[in-house]
């Protein structure tokens, strides 16, 4: 593993030490500087990704929602159809982020061979700018620098400029983010990296102001300094870049250092760290900024469910329930229009970064469903339904695919020429008063009740610490600190009356808000995030008994098969896009799928099989797993690379194990392999599941040191480790899928929080050929009644036919 010394050397190499002095644009400034690190944290970078030896980075130590005037003039792609003074090569792209920059005066290229060849021919450094369309600080840097003709003149004269959508090309983003984090001690977007013509990084950072300020060089200073030094010291640049790549290669290497997987002490250590880091007042595991990191909930629910009498397990359950309750009551939850924002800048989950991401909604469906299964409290089920309402209403294409995200920024009013973060979501007291002030229940006004319940104040409810520039002065972000019972008692009304008042008020505010200018919608549809959505919908459909959710998941799976799957080569595509006419369009050539696309979709298909009992989805999952193994598996050291070896422009193939805002592809694959192994047990499939089980073991061995040394960095993989050690809980049912008796047995399974569950149903009407690849090919009912078996640690119970008998087996420790 890399050491602090390795990082120190890499930082020196990134500037050529004394030979290239004065171009070390380390962005860490003193803690007294207000602008400590202005970036968008799209996924949680607080942990290291395969760079654990770099130590714990202080990323956004005092993150507040803005550091500048925070008033953004958006890209021309969203403005009125006026003639454009400038047009560059991004105008023909499909990515909403790239299109936002299509009319900058900068001569932008997308990532392409033409740009790389031109850099070589003209012997120029490449300036690589990476971001995404709903990134606030990406908009800031565009407004300040990329829309400036003076800055663009310098960029065009001295550099080949490439713009990349990090969601479109996560493989490139990960390579150069590894470099930025190693050399600056922090990361985020926009990411700004300078490359040699052969694509090796030499220096970089994140956001740069246009002029020298805040104790750091401005972007123009950086550009001119680098251009001069490239001409004068090119040999030193090239030498430094070679050394940098060698250091990055060493840092990113994952080598097997053990012949066994970690044991129980490893996940116990992980649990105790979460208990230590738990914030008891508002939940979560650490201080602000707070992220609803769903992989943590998955691990803690799993730990609880495997032994519900374990005191630490009960503590895990309470931490999950308390945190999920506080999140759902917080301002991070959109109480008017549903769904959840990216993160909160404060401890209370109150003032969010207002962008909404599909992957958060998808994973929180699973977390709140598990909370419901553990408690049977309808409150958690209602939150799930709220999320589904949001994604189906605001993030869905008519054909079934889900869009990526909604922006945090929007115009305060129609006709405004500048956008503000959160403008679509916040409220002034006078506006609420004008909308609902005259309505009453008995002698009590709706306004009083609503303001008490949602903590609305006449002068606004956002603290100065969460709004250092006064941008939210007199604004309210709705948050619930109390309970329905407390508010009902205070105003001497019934709980049902309170609910009716709140519903009417929310409906009124929703109608008023729908008349405001909407935030930008990123209509890019990613296979990976849609895979997470399938999983969330299928999981919620099973747990809540909502058939429509399963139908939504099926529609999305069919969408992926139609628009994000190459039928001829049996491979996935990473992204597709909504065209101007509303149809689905693609880049030319399409972007091929990455590890996460396969891993997340396979998980979704396995969940969808268990939700629909349609073997088609299980069989497709098996086919995709074979293709994933072919494209990404490391036969030398185990584990999966994040991208295939086909694209030679990617200078470094990485393996990711960090479970941040999204789980890593390796963590999810470790689960998938074990589930597929269970379906293949003792069947006619090759080696009866042993191959998949052995691959899962090799994944765990590859990342064993990481699990032991930094257990909370990979909670999803820690869950996979428990799954591997305990073996799956297989529930096997033989009976007609339309038989009410079979469905009653299935409901008994779906209504429980079962760790490592694998559910399979064999319908006698299925042909032997259709059943040949799954576990139940050997199970047939000997009588007329549907029959169930529960298998744990590779030993199966005697068959049972009643729901009560099955429930008794399922509830055994």
């Amino acid at each position: 593993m890399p050491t602090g010394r390795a990082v120190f050397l890499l930082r020196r190499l990134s500037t050529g030490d004394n030979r290239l002095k004065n171009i070390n644009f380390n962005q860490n400034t003193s803690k007294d500087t207000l602008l400590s690190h202005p970036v968008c944290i799209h996924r949680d970078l607080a942990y290291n990704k395969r760079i654990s030896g770099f130590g714990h980075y202080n990323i956004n130590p005092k993150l507040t929602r803005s550091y500048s005037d925070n008033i953004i003039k958006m890209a021309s792609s969203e403005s009125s159809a006026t003639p454009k003074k400038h047009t560059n090569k991004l105008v023909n792209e499909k990515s909403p982020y790239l299109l936002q920059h299509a009319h900058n005066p900068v001569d932008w290229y997308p990532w392409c061979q033409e740009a790389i060849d031109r850099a070589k021919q003209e012997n120029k450094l490449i300036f690589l700018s990476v971001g995404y369309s709903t990134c606030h600080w990406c908009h800031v840097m565009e407004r300040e620098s990329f829309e400036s003709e003076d800055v663009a003149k310098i960029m065009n004269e001295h550099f080949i400029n490439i713009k990349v959508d990090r969601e479109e090309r996560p493989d490139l983003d990960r390579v150069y983010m590894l470099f930025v984090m190693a050399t600056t001690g922090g990361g985020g977007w926009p990411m700004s990296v300078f490359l040699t013509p052969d694509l090796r990084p030499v220096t970089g950072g994140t956001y740069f102001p246009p002029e020298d300020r805040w104790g750091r060089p401005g972007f123009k200073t950086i550009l001119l300094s680098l251009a001069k030094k490239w001409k004068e010291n090119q040999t030193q640049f090239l030498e430094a870049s070679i050394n940098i790549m060698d250091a990055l290669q060493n840092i990113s290497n994952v080598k097997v250092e053990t012949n066994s997987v970690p044991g129980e002490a490893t996940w116990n250590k992980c649990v105790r760290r979460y208990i230590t880091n738990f914030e008891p007042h508002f939940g979560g595991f650490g201080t602000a900024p707070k992220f609803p990191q769903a992989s943590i909930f998955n691990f803690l629910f799993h730990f609880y469910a495997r032994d519900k009498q374990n005191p630490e397990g009960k503590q895990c359950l309470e931490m999950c329930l308390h945190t999920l309750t506080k999140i759902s009551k917080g301002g991070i939850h959109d109480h008017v229009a549903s769904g959840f924002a990216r993160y909160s800048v404060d401890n209370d989950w109150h003032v969010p970064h207002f962008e909404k991401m599909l992957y958060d909604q998808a994973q929180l469906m699973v977390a709140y469903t598990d909370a419901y299964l553990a408690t049977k409290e309808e409150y958690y089920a209602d939150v799930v339904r709220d999320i589904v309402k949001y994604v189906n209403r605001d993030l869905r294409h008519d054909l079934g695919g889900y869009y990526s995200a909604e922006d945090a920024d929007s115009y305060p009013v129609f006709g405004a020429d500048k956008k503000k973060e959160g403008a679509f979501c916040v409220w002034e007291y006078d506006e609420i008063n004008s909308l609902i002030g005259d309505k009453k229940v008995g002698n009590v006004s709706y306004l009083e009740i609503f303001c008490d319940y949602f903590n609305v104040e006449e002068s606004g409810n956002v603290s100065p610490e969460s709004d250092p520039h006064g941008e939210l002065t007199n604004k309210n972000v709705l948050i619930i600190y109390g309970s329905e019972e407390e508010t009902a008692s205070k105003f001497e009304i019934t709980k049902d009356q309170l609910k009716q008042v709140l519903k009417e008020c929310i409906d009124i505010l929703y109608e008023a808000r729908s008349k405001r200018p909407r935030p930008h919608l990123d209509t890019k549809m990613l296979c990976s995030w849609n895979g997470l959505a399938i999983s969330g919908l299928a999981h919620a459909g099973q747990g809540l008994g909502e058939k429509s959710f399963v139908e939504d998941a099926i529609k999305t799976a069919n969408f992926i098969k139609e628009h994000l799957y190459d039928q001829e080569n049996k491979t996935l595509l990473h992204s597709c896009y909504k065209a101007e006419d509303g149809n689905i369009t693609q880049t030319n050539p399409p972007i091929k799928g990455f590890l996460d696309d396969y891993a997340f979709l396979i998980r979704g298909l396995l969940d969808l099989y268990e939700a629909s009992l349609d073997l088609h989805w299980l069989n497709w999952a098996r086919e995709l797993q074979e293709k994933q193994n072919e494209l990404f598996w490391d036969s030398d050291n185990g584990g999966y690379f994040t991208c295939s070896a086909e694209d030679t422009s990617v200078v470094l193939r990485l393996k990711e194990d960090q479970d941040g805002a999204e789980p890593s592809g390796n963590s999810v694959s470790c689960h998938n392999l074990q589930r597929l192994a269970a379906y293949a047990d003792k069947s006619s499939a090759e080696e009866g599941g042993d191959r998949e089980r052995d691959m899962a073991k090799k994944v765990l061995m590859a990342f064993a040191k990481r699990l032991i040394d930094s257990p909370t960095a990979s909670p999803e993989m820690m869950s996979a480790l428990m799954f591997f050690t305990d073996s799956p809980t297989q529930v096997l049912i033989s009976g007609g899928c339309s038989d009410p008796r079979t469905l009653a047995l299935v409901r008994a399974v779906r209504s429980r929080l079962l760790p490592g569950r694998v559910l399979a149903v064999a319908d006698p009407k299925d042909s032997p050929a259709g059943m040949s690849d799954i576990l139940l090919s050997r199970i047939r009912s000997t009588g007329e009644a549907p029959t169930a078996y529960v298998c744990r640690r590779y030993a199966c119970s005697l068959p049972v036919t009643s729901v009560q008998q099955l429930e008794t087996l399922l509830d055994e420790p």
Side-chain angles (χ1 to χ4, degrees):
M1 299 296 286
T3 64
R5 174 66 176 168
V7 179
F8 173 72
L9 290 174
L10 183 54
R11 292 186 186 180
R12 292 182 64 187
L13 289 169
S14 71
T15 60
D17 203 13
N18 289 330
R19 294 172 300 178
L20 297 177
K21 62 184 178 181
N22 300 325
I23 62 166
N24 184 2
F25 308 119
N26 193 314
Q27 296 181 337
N28 293 330
T29 58
S30 71
K31 293 183 179 180
D32 296 329
T33 304
L34 179 61
L35 183 54
S36 60
H37 202 75
V39 293
C40 293
I41 308 178
H42 183 61
R43 61 171 73 198
D44 187 357
L45 290 173
Y47 296 110
N48 304 315
K49 299 183 172 191
R50 273 312 335 139
I51 52 175
S52 56
F54 292 170
H56 184 77
Y57 292 131
N58 189 16
I59 297 179
N60 287 355
K62 293 184 178 180
L63 183 65
T64 51
R65 62 177 307 280
S66 64
Y67 298 94
S68 70
D69 60 358
N70 202 25
I71 300 174
I72 314 303
K73 182 178 180 182
M74 293 295 291
S76 56
S77 60
E78 292 185 20
S79 59
S80 59
T82 55
K84 309 301 180 185
K85 183 176 181 181
H86 304 283
T87 299
N88 57 53
K89 296 175 181 63
L90 300 182
V91 74
N92 296 317
E93 293 301 302
K94 305 299 183 183
S95 158
Y97 175 64
L98 300 186
L99 290 173
Q100 285 177 347
H101 293 264
H103 298 289
N104 295 163
V106 179
D107 184 17
W108 290 117
Y109 282 87
W111 186 271
C112 61
Q113 194 60 46
E114 179 185 355
I116 297 168
D117 289 343
R118 184 182 165 194
K120 293 177 180 178
Q121 292 165 4
E122 299 183 13
N123 193 27
K124 290 181 177 179
L125 287 174
I126 293 171
F127 172 65
L128 174 66
S129 176
V130 182
Y132 55 102
S133 76
T134 58
C135 164
H136 170 78
W137 281 98
C138 300
H139 302 330
V140 174
M141 193 164 178
E142 178 190 20
R143 174 176 60 85
E144 293 178 338
S145 293
F146 303 148
E147 290 184 349
S148 165
E149 293 187 354
D150 290 340
V151 175
K153 182 178 180 181
I154 299 171
M155 294 174 69
N156 295 339
E157 180 178 352
H158 298 290
F159 300 90
I160 303 302
N161 303 291
I162 298 179
K163 177 66 73 171
V164 166
D165 182 338
R166 67 153 312 272
E167 295 167 358
E168 197 175 55
R169 290 300 303 265
D171 53 339
L172 299 171
D173 176 70
R174 284 168 178 147
V175 169
Y176 296 113
M177 186 61 73
L178 174 66
F179 166 74
V180 169
M181 292 180 72
T183 55
T184 71
W189 296 271
M191 179 169 62
S192 307
V193 189
F194 293 89
L195 317 177
T196 62
D198 55 2
L199 307 179
R200 295 194 292 257
V202 290
T203 194
T206 53
Y207 163 84
F208 292 108
E211 308 291 343
D212 299 354
R213 63 188 189 215
W214 300 316
R216 69 174 67 184
F219 191 50
K220 287 196 288 187
T221 297
I222 292 168
L223 292 170
L224 292 170
S225 176
L226 278 172
K228 182 175 184 292
K229 292 186 178 297
W230 172 252
K231 293 178 181 178
E232 296 175 352
N233 299 301
Q234 189 168 137
T235 301
Q236 286 84 358
F237 263 93
L238 296 174
E239 290 176 358
S241 70
I242 293 171
N243 292 333
I244 287 168
M245 285 309 303
D246 288 343
L248 289 175
Q249 184 68 61
N250 290 332
I251 289 169
S252 62
N253 278 345
V254 178
K255 295 181 180 179
V256 177
E257 300 182 20
T258 178
N259 292 322
S260 61
V261 300
E264 184 175 2
T266 306
W267 62 72
N268 285 335
K269 177 181 177 182
C270 186
V271 165
R272 286 162 193 156
R273 286 200 180 176
Y274 281 127
I275 291 173
T276 299
N277 294 334
F278 181 66
E279 196 283 288
H281 299 292
F282 288 89
F285 303 91
T287 58
K290 283 188 170 181
F291 293 79
Q293 192 173 329
S295 293
I296 297 176
F297 300 127
N298 295 344
F299 166 70
L300 295 176
F301 276 126
H302 188 162
F303 184 87
Y304 159 73
R306 66 190 294 274
D307 183 1
K308 296 177 183 177
Q309 302 308 312
N310 183 331
E312 287 187 334
K314 293 179 181 179
Q315 201 167 353
C316 288
L317 175 64
E318 290 305 314
M319 290 191 299
C320 286
L321 297 179
H322 182 66
T323 302
L324 288 168
T325 299
K326 289 298 184 181
I327 290 173
S328 62
K329 289 187 173 186
I332 191 174
H333 185 195
D334 189 338
H335 297 284
V336 173
S338 307
F340 287 84
R342 177 74 281 270
Y343 61 84
S344 72
V345 304
D346 60 289
N347 189 62
D348 298 9
W349 305 101
H350 180 204
V351 181
H353 179 51
F354 291 89
E355 67 180 329
K356 294 180 181 176
M357 314 301 299
L358 173 61
Y359 63 75
D360 281 322
Q361 320 307 321
Q363 294 179 92
L364 286 172
M365 289 183 210
V366 175
Y368 281 99
T369 298
D370 284 349
Y372 170 74
L373 291 175
T375 64
K376 294 301 188 291
E377 292 183 16
E378 197 64 24
Y379 174 84
Y380 298 112
D382 288 341
V383 177
V384 177
R385 296 185 184 102
D386 181 77
I387 299 171
V388 176
K389 177 174 70 174
Y390 167 68
V391 296
N392 282 344
R393 183 193 65 216
D394 293 342
L395 293 185
R396 190 164 216 191
H397 189 280
D398 291 342
L399 297 178
Y402 287 99
Y403 305 132
S404 296
E406 277 196 302
D407 207 338
D409 303 332
S410 60
Y411 294 108
V413 295
F414 287 101
D417 61 350
K418 295 179 180 179
K419 294 189 175 186
K420 293 185 178 181
E421 186 177 1
F424 187 66
C425 303
V426 297
W427 301 90
E428 292 189 358
Y429 174 86
D430 288 345
E431 182 181 10
I432 297 175
N433 185 17
S434 67
L435 291 169
I436 63 177
D438 294 336
K439 300 178 72 68
K440 290 188 177 182
V441 53
N443 294 321
V444 183
S445 73
Y446 278 30
L447 179 66
E448 287 184 76
I449 296 171
F450 183 86
C451 290
D452 179 81
Y453 187 71
F454 285 110
N455 195 46
V456 174
E457 300 177 10
E458 290 189 41
S459 59
N461 68 2
V462 177
S463 68
E465 291 78 12
S466 298
D467 183 31
H469 298 281
E471 193 176 38
L472 293 179
T473 301
N474 295 326
K475 305 293 185 180
N476 288 277
V477 178
L478 304 186
I479 184 171
I480 303 167
Y481 283 114
S483 67
E484 291 180 345
E485 290 78 10
E486 290 171 339
T487 301
S489 176
K490 177 177 180 178
F491 293 101
E492 298 181 340
I493 58 177
T494 68
K495 191 173 177 180
D496 286 342
Q497 285 178 311
L498 173 65
K499 288 183 176 181
Q500 183 60 33
V501 168
L502 295 177
K503 181 183 183 303
E504 289 184 38
C505 290
I506 290 297
D507 289 345
I508 291 169
L509 264 61
Y510 177 78
E511 183 179 356
R513 204 170 103 171
S514 66
K515 297 175 183 177
R516 297 176 178 177
R518 287 198 65 91
H520 160 73
L521 176 67
D522 189 323
T523 55
K524 176 174 68 266
M525 288 165 273
L526 302 176
C527 182
S528 55
W529 295 0
N530 274 266
L532 291 175
I534 293 170
S535 188
L537 290 164
H539 193 76
Q542 293 182 74
L544 276 59
E546 294 278 3
K547 184 179 178 181
S548 64
F549 295 176
V550 180
E551 292 170 348
D552 288 335
I554 291 171
K555 187 175 181 180
T556 302
N558 283 323
F559 175 90
I560 291 176
K561 200 156 195 177
E562 176 68 23
H563 298 286
L564 289 168
Y565 183 60
D566 184 334
Q567 297 277 358
E568 182 177 349
N569 297 311
K570 307 297 182 185
T571 55
L572 293 174
L573 304 176
H574 176 61
S575 55
C576 61
Y577 309 82
K578 180 182 178 181
E580 291 185 4
D581 62 3
N583 291 322
I584 303 301
T585 187
Q586 260 294 0
T587 58
N588 185 23
I591 300 170
K592 296 182 179 181
F594 303 106
L595 172 63
D596 287 0
D597 296 305
Y598 286 83
F600 295 178
L601 178 57
I602 291 167
R603 167 179 277 186
L605 294 175
L606 293 175
D607 290 335
L608 185 53
Y609 163 68
E610 296 196 3
S612 67
L613 306 180
D614 184 344
L615 279 169
H616 168 73
W617 306 119
L618 176 59
N619 292 333
W620 192 25
R622 294 190 66 89
E623 291 174 8
L624 289 174
Q625 187 65 58
E626 290 299 318
K627 182 58 68 172
Q628 175 185 317
N629 297 343
E630 175 188 328
L631 292 173
F632 308 107
W633 180 252
D634 180 357
S635 57
D636 294 327
N637 294 301
Y640 293 95
F641 294 107
T642 58
C643 61
S644 73
E646 294 182 10
D647 189 345
T648 57
S649 70
V650 181
V651 296
L652 189 63
R653 292 180 80 195
L654 300 175
K655 288 183 194 172
E656 189 177 20
D657 62 354
Q658 168 67 40
D659 298 319
E662 304 162 61
S664 79
N666 274 291
S667 297
V668 173
S669 295
C670 195
H671 280 276
N672 294 343
L673 288 166
Q674 294 181 75
R675 294 173 72 179
L676 289 168
Y679 282 118
D681 269 340
K682 300 180 182 179
S683 74
S684 59
E686 182 183 358
E687 300 166 357
D690 289 344
R691 182 170 63 102
E692 291 90 346
R693 197 171 293 109
D694 182 62
M695 293 178 75
K697 180 179 180 180
K698 288 179 178 177
V699 172
L700 294 169
M701 288 166 56
F703 298 107
K705 181 171 176 55
R706 173 76 152 162
L707 289 169
I708 294 169
D709 293 347
S710 305
T712 56
S714 304
E716 194 76 33
M717 191 172 291
M718 197 67 72
S719 176
L721 174 63
M722 290 192 294
F723 188 5
F724 183 85
T725 303
D726 292 343
S727 81
T729 298
Q730 298 168 316
V731 185
L732 320 175
I733 299 173
S734 177
C737 288
S738 59
D739 188 326
R741 297 170 299 175
T742 302
L743 296 178
L745 294 172
V746 170
R747 278 195 297 274
V749 180
R750 291 173 175 167
S751 65
R752 281 164 168 72
L753 185 63
L754 295 171
R757 189 196 79 185
V758 174
L759 169 65
V761 176
D763 191 324
K765 293 186 296 184
D766 287 329
S767 65
M771 295 298 299
S772 62
D773 289 336
I774 69 166
L775 174 64
L776 288 177
S777 61
R778 73 183 197 278
I779 295 177
R780 285 288 182 268
S781 175
T782 56
E784 293 186 0
T787 304
Y789 303 76
V790 177
C791 306
R792 290 190 176 101
R793 295 173 180 83
Y794 308 105
C796 292
S797 68
L798 294 173
V800 297
T801 57
S802 75
V803 170
Q804 184 176 2
Q805 290 173 314
L806 177 58
E807 288 176 338
T808 300
L809 289 173
L810 293 175
D811 292 338
E812 291 178 356

